[in-house]
Amino acid sequence: MRYILKIVVPSVPPYNHEAYGFTEDLIVASRGMPPSPRLIQFYDAITARFPCAAGGAYEDGKLGECPWGDTPLLSGFTGDVAVIAVTARNVEVIPFMLRRAGAYALTVLDQQADKVHRPATFRVVLQSVSNDVITRDLATKLVPLLKRTDDEVLSILSRPQSVLKRRLDHVTAQRFAETLGLIGCRCVVEKELGEGAVLVAPFTPPPIVRPADVAANSMLHEEERSSKVEQPGSWVSKVLSKVSLRAQK
């Protein structure tokens, strides 16, 4: 059985059905083109663990069965998309591919399982500015890096926890933070929430209710009801006392 995975370099649309159509168009547009540098890096990473059979790596049987359905494997890599058929060792090969794709900020489309594995994105957040740095000079250096105006950069520097860059892969985010550190910005890299993610408040368990507490509360409520509801006997005695007073008059 051929299990097909499509590896895509550019960001795909947010909804799965749109992502599938986008990728099919990209495959058509990429025909005959050499694979992009990032796809070459991905190819090198997966074949370092599971070589392509074209080089004769599996002839002596030491590496087991070749997992790739196409030979040479690189023939499925064109432009910004790769189409890979996995025909053996799915349990170990596919998770490995997903991890490597995430490391290179690539999207993996698995239409058999109706899943789109999007790479995690990160943001660079400003923590503070070094004490020995003049804010105006720092702003001038940041203008070309952030692609903002002088006033916009000064406004960013005046706010704590300002987000300087969004939607970066982890390697790019780390490098950007290191670059900013060289000019006096102390930054941290934070993982961004995925599309449609929601922060959920921590679960608070309900209080434990003991039988003795239930009985005590029941007695208390019964006393309260008794004090509020007038007993029939007391009502009759009041009527009789009124009649007696009228007779005396």
Side-chain angles (χ1 to χ4, degrees):
M1 177 181 175
R2 293 169 64 89
Y3 201 94
I4 307 297
L5 295 174
K6 297 169 183 175
I7 320 299
V8 182
V9 174
S11 298
V12 301
Y15 298 104
N16 285 8
H17 69 280
E18 295 178 345
Y20 300 147
F22 171 86
T23 302
E24 292 304 319
D25 292 341
L26 188 62
I27 291 172
V28 173
S30 299
R31 283 176 184 161
M33 297 175 61
S36 67
R38 211 181 324 164
L39 280 183
I40 292 294
Q41 290 178 319
F42 175 72
Y43 170 84
D44 291 340
I46 62 175
T47 54
R49 175 77 173 272
F50 302 101
C52 175
Y58 299 91
E59 291 179 357
D60 58 6
K62 293 181 179 180
L63 295 179
E65 187 178 1
C66 177
W68 312 121
D70 297 312
T71 303
L73 176 63
L74 195 59
S75 63
F77 288 64
T78 56
D80 281 337
V81 63
V83 180
I84 299 176
V86 181
T87 56
R89 305 166 68 179
N90 297 34
V91 174
E92 53 181 322
V93 172
I94 293 176
F96 178 76
M97 288 179 62
L98 293 177
R99 291 194 298 271
R100 293 296 87 206
Y104 292 106
L106 301 169
T107 300
V108 179
L109 285 81
D110 180 352
Q111 288 181 255
Q112 290 105 140
D114 193 22
K115 290 183 178 180
V116 178
H117 302 274
R118 293 173 172 82
T121 59
F122 298 82
R123 62 184 185 178
V124 178
V125 181
L126 176 66
Q127 293 289 294
S128 62
V129 175
S130 300
N131 294 330
D132 57 346
V133 172
I134 299 174
T135 303
R136 175 63 67 175
D137 293 343
L138 177 60
T140 301
K141 296 176 182 178
L142 286 175
V143 165
L145 292 174
L146 301 183
K147 298 179 181 180
R148 304 286 187 90
T149 65
D150 287 336
D151 291 339
E152 288 174 335
V153 172
L154 288 171
S155 177
I156 289 172
L157 292 176
S158 67
R159 300 193 304 269
Q161 301 297 312
S162 294
V163 178
L164 303 181
K165 282 280 187 179
R166 296 181 184 274
R167 302 195 63 78
L168 302 174
D169 63 81
H170 191 257
V171 173
T172 303
Q174 289 284 9
R175 289 175 178 171
F176 189 71
E178 291 170 3
T179 300
L180 295 182
L182 296 175
I183 60 176
C185 295
R186 299 188 184 95
C187 301
V188 294
V189 175
E190 298 178 351
K191 187 175 182 179
E192 294 182 313
L193 292 174
E195 295 290 339
V198 178
L199 290 175
V200 180
F203 172 71
T204 303
I208 299 174
V209 180
R210 296 172 297 180
D213 296 334
V214 175
N217 289 335
S218 178
M219 293 177 62
L220 178 61
H221 292 321
E222 185 63 32
E223 291 175 359
E224 291 177 351
R225 286 195 297 270
S226 298
S227 63
K228 294 179 181 179
V229 178
E230 198 170 31
Q231 298 299 324
S234 62
W235 178 79
V236 172
S237 62
K238 287 182 180 180
V239 172
L240 291 175
S241 63
K242 289 182 179 179
V243 171
S244 174
L245 288 174
R246 289 176 181 174
Q248 292 176 5
K249 293 179 181 180

